[in-house]
Amino acid sequence: SALELIFGRWVDEGTVSAIAMFSNVRVKETADSEGFDAVHVGYEHQVGYSVNAFYPYALTGGAVEFGDVTGEFRESTVFVDGG
């Protein structure tokens, strides 16, 4: 994405050691769980640690209620050479 290209330039310049991208997503239903709305955080660190975290939420009576966070390791897209 364009944002990843900007982050990549900052990595090349040595101005960042970690990045995070936040987005609102809909996690699809699976055989093990119902679908849900979540805040997605894609995090990468120059040491090679990259993870997707999903913070499920529901809007109830004008208030936001958060559920338990889930996560998974992912392939780096910005720190592709480990820093």
Side-chain angles (χ1 to χ4, degrees):
S1 72
L3 190 55
E4 288 172 331
L5 291 174
I6 292 168
F7 287 155
R9 184 169 2 122
W10 291 345
V11 168
D12 292 343
E13 294 168 355
T15 57
V16 298
S17 60
I19 59 100
M21 294 177 274
F22 295 77
S23 57
N24 183 50
V25 298
R26 176 75 184 169
V27 176
K28 292 183 180 180
E29 182 176 334
T30 67
D32 297 330
S33 69
E34 295 180 18
F36 57 89
D37 292 319
V39 174
H40 165 250
V41 181
Y43 174 81
E44 292 187 27
H45 194 278
Q46 68 183 4
V47 298
Y49 178 80
S50 298
V51 68
N52 287 321
F54 298 91
Y55 295 84
Y57 72 88
L59 299 174
T60 306
V64 179
E65 295 181 12
F66 285 96
D68 294 332
V69 64
T70 60
E72 61 190 10
F73 291 107
R74 68 182 184 96
E75 187 173 325
S76 295
T77 59
V78 176
F79 293 95
V80 293
D81 296 324

